[in-house]
Amino acid sequence: MDLDEYINRIVDPTFLDFQKNPSSGRHAFLACIVVYHSVDYASFPNKTKEITEYWSKNSIEFAIVDMIANHIKNVKLKIEKLNDINKISNGIPLSSIIIKGDISGDSFGLDLHNLYYYLRDAIIFIKNYSKNTKILSEIEL
């Protein structure tokens, strides 16, 4: 499966599920995970680090999606990495614009309204990346 097929078969339907369930933190979290894992398909067969850093640097929306997708692992560590990538110091942490505290409710402590737009824009960024990559590869042929 290539990046475009992954987007069509996995990312878009999962994002639509979140769109149909806008108050569900579970749907939002799953959408973040599948959007984040687009890097696997964009970088194959290479490692994901370079593309993840490039996407995070060039799309704040992807950086936020990345942070949420990896939220359960270690948010502080991920935010520190993002701050290093984006050269953010003494600023407002990215987490403060999307993580709203109490994780016990249906929203998992996420600002789901804003997260919807971050996801949408991250998907647009990834689709544009895929389109531009194809154009460049055709030029190189």
Side-chain angles (χ1 to χ4, degrees):
M1 183 179 323
D2 67 6
L3 177 58
D4 288 334
E5 188 176 0
Y6 178 75
I7 290 168
N8 291 329
R9 294 179 67 188
I10 307 295
V11 174
D12 285 343
T14 306
F15 180 64
L16 288 173
D17 288 344
F18 174 42
Q19 195 173 33
K20 292 174 188 172
N21 298 282
S23 62
S24 171
R26 180 178 63 84
H27 284 91
F29 185 67
L30 291 173
C32 287
I33 290 170
V34 299
V35 169
Y36 170 75
H37 280 287
S38 295
V39 298
D40 298 329
Y41 294 88
S43 62
F44 183 81
N46 302 315
K47 294 190 177 186
T48 62
K49 182 180 178 184
E50 187 175 304
I51 288 180
T52 303
E53 288 177 359
Y54 175 82
W55 286 5
S56 292
K57 185 176 180 181
N58 289 282
S59 171
I60 190 70
E61 296 84 4
F62 180 80
I64 290 167
V65 168
D66 179 355
M67 179 182 62
I68 299 301
N70 290 292
H71 178 68
I72 289 180
K73 291 180 184 177
N74 187 336
V75 147
K76 185 173 181 183
L77 178 61
K78 195 63 173 174
I79 292 167
E80 289 170 358
K81 286 181 182 178
L82 289 172
N83 287 346
D84 290 343
I85 290 168
N86 294 309
K87 305 291 187 242
I88 299 170
S89 60
N90 299 324
I92 298 171
L94 286 177
S95 62
S96 68
I97 62 174
I98 200 70
I99 299 172
K100 299 298 179 188
D102 183 18
I103 62 169
S104 63
D106 290 342
S107 72
F108 296 155
L110 300 171
D111 180 343
L112 298 178
H113 175 78
N114 288 336
L115 183 54
Y116 170 85
Y117 295 103
Y118 295 131
L119 277 161
R120 180 200 65 189
D121 293 349
I123 293 167
I124 291 169
F125 173 82
I126 293 166
K127 286 179 178 181
N128 286 335
Y129 174 89
S130 179
K131 179 180 165 186
N132 293 336
T133 302
K134 282 184 179 176
I135 291 169
L136 288 174
S137 68
E138 288 174 8
I139 291 170
E140 292 174 358
L141 295 176

